[in-house]
Amino acid sequence: KAGVTQTPRYLIKTRGQQVTLSCSPISGHRSVSWYQQTPGQGLQFLFEYFSETQRNKGNFPGRFSGRQFSNSRSEMNVSTLELGDSALYLCASSLVTGVGNSPLHFGNGTRLTVT
Amino acid sequence: ELKVEQNPLFLSMQEGKNYTIYCNYSTTSDRLYWYRQDPGKSLESLFVLLSNGAVKQEGRLMASLDTKARLSTLHITAAVHDLSATYFCAVVRAGGTASKLTFGTGTRLQVTL
């Protein structure tokens, strides 16, 4: 069974640009969540999507947005990039949303560098 | 606000030794996860702990959960070099969605020969 697939693996962008990251969940998984990992702030929850609806959102500015398609694939977008947005962005999928005991399955991440 | 603290942040240990990583959290939770991350890689799920007193073991790793003390431990027995990685605990607030994890700072484990 294929795991969570994230593309691209690496991105280099300039301040002020925007970027779109893509995530394909494990087949059959309907919940997709996104996390940002930086050396200073660690792993932080960005948002979660289930059945094309955003279910939860973390404490990030509106420049960070996302969406989920009918096939459960998800994209996240960051507009007006800042240097502090440089991070590893991890996507995770799970079977269901809400209460559950199955762990999140993480992809290999997209490493974004903003110059 | 849910806060999760891990200690130590860095742990260097010799092969064959035992050690414990601690994970404390600040609010009620009944679900805790342990993940492993190798450099440049993603997060690999190790354990899911659901109830007070839960204990799970896999190989040289054993995790436990005390919800009353808001404490989880990850015990390493007779460490081997392959266990070198960063270990994270992650907590779900009681009643919260399982996808919204609050992660600890991570413990970087280095096992030396």
Side-chain angles (χ1 to χ4, degrees):
Chain A
K1 200 174 193 181
V4 178
T5 304
Q6 291 187 245
T7 56
R9 289 296 309 276
Y10 302 93
L11 266 177
I12 300 176
K13 291 285 188 179
T14 305
R15 271 183 303 175
Q17 289 186 316
Q18 74 165 17
V19 67
T20 299
L21 313 181
S22 180
C23 172
S24 293
I26 291 172
S27 178
H29 285 195
R30 296 171 61 193
S31 171
V32 173
S33 49
W34 290 87
Y35 287 80
Q36 181 196 64
Q37 185 175 26
T38 60
Q41 299 299 317
L43 280 150
Q44 293 184 286
F45 173 80
L46 279 157
F47 29 63
E48 181 208 359
Y49 287 86
F50 182 80
S51 293
E52 302 177 63
T53 302
Q54 186 180 89
R55 299 294 294 260
N56 280 284
K57 191 175 192 307
N59 295 325
F60 280 82
R63 299 185 297 106
F64 291 81
S65 63
R67 59 178 175 167
Q68 186 181 35
F69 302 95
S70 58
N71 61 359
S72 295
R73 192 176 69 84
S74 176
E75 289 181 347
M76 69 164 279
N77 184 276
V78 188
S79 62
T80 320
L81 284 166
E82 300 176 0
L83 294 178
D85 297 334
S86 295
L88 180 66
Y89 290 89
L90 292 164
C91 169
S93 74
S94 62
L95 272 172
V96 296
T97 188
V99 177
N101 60 13
S102 60
L104 298 187
H105 298 270
F106 285 84
N108 286 327
T110 295
R111 184 163 297 281
L112 171 65
T113 302
V114 182
T115 63
Chain B
E1 182 189 352
L2 173 57
K3 291 189 187 299
V4 181
E5 292 183 353
Q6 275 182 248
N7 67 82
L9 295 182
F10 179 74
L11 175 57
S12 180
M13 55 191 299
Q14 287 182 317
E15 274 201 337
K17 300 292 187 184
N18 304 333
Y19 210 84
T20 300
I21 298 170
Y22 298 89
C23 173
N24 289 90
Y25 52 96
S26 62
T27 64
T28 305
S29 169
D30 55 8
R31 231 169 316 143
L32 188 141
Y33 303 89
W34 283 95
Y35 283 90
R36 167 184 172 146
Q37 187 176 39
D38 291 289
K41 299 291 181 66
S42 188
L43 294 161
E44 174 192 353
S45 175
L46 295 173
F47 301 109
V48 180
L49 301 170
L50 296 177
S51 58
N52 187 43
V55 177
K56 291 202 174 174
Q57 183 162 6
E58 180 75 33
R60 302 174 187 273
L61 300 177
M62 183 174 71
S64 66
L65 178 62
D66 181 343
T67 57
K68 291 180 180 147
R70 296 179 186 167
L71 170 70
S72 178
T73 60
L74 180 66
H75 186 74
I76 302 153
T77 302
V80 292
H81 182 68
D82 286 351
L83 290 179
S84 297
T86 299
Y87 293 85
F88 293 93
C89 64
V91 176
V92 177
R93 182 192 299 274
T97 176
S99 297
K100 186 174 181 181
L101 304 182
T102 300
F103 280 85
T105 49
T107 296
R108 187 174 155 221
L109 172 65
Q110 183 177 59
V111 181
T112 58
L113 297 170

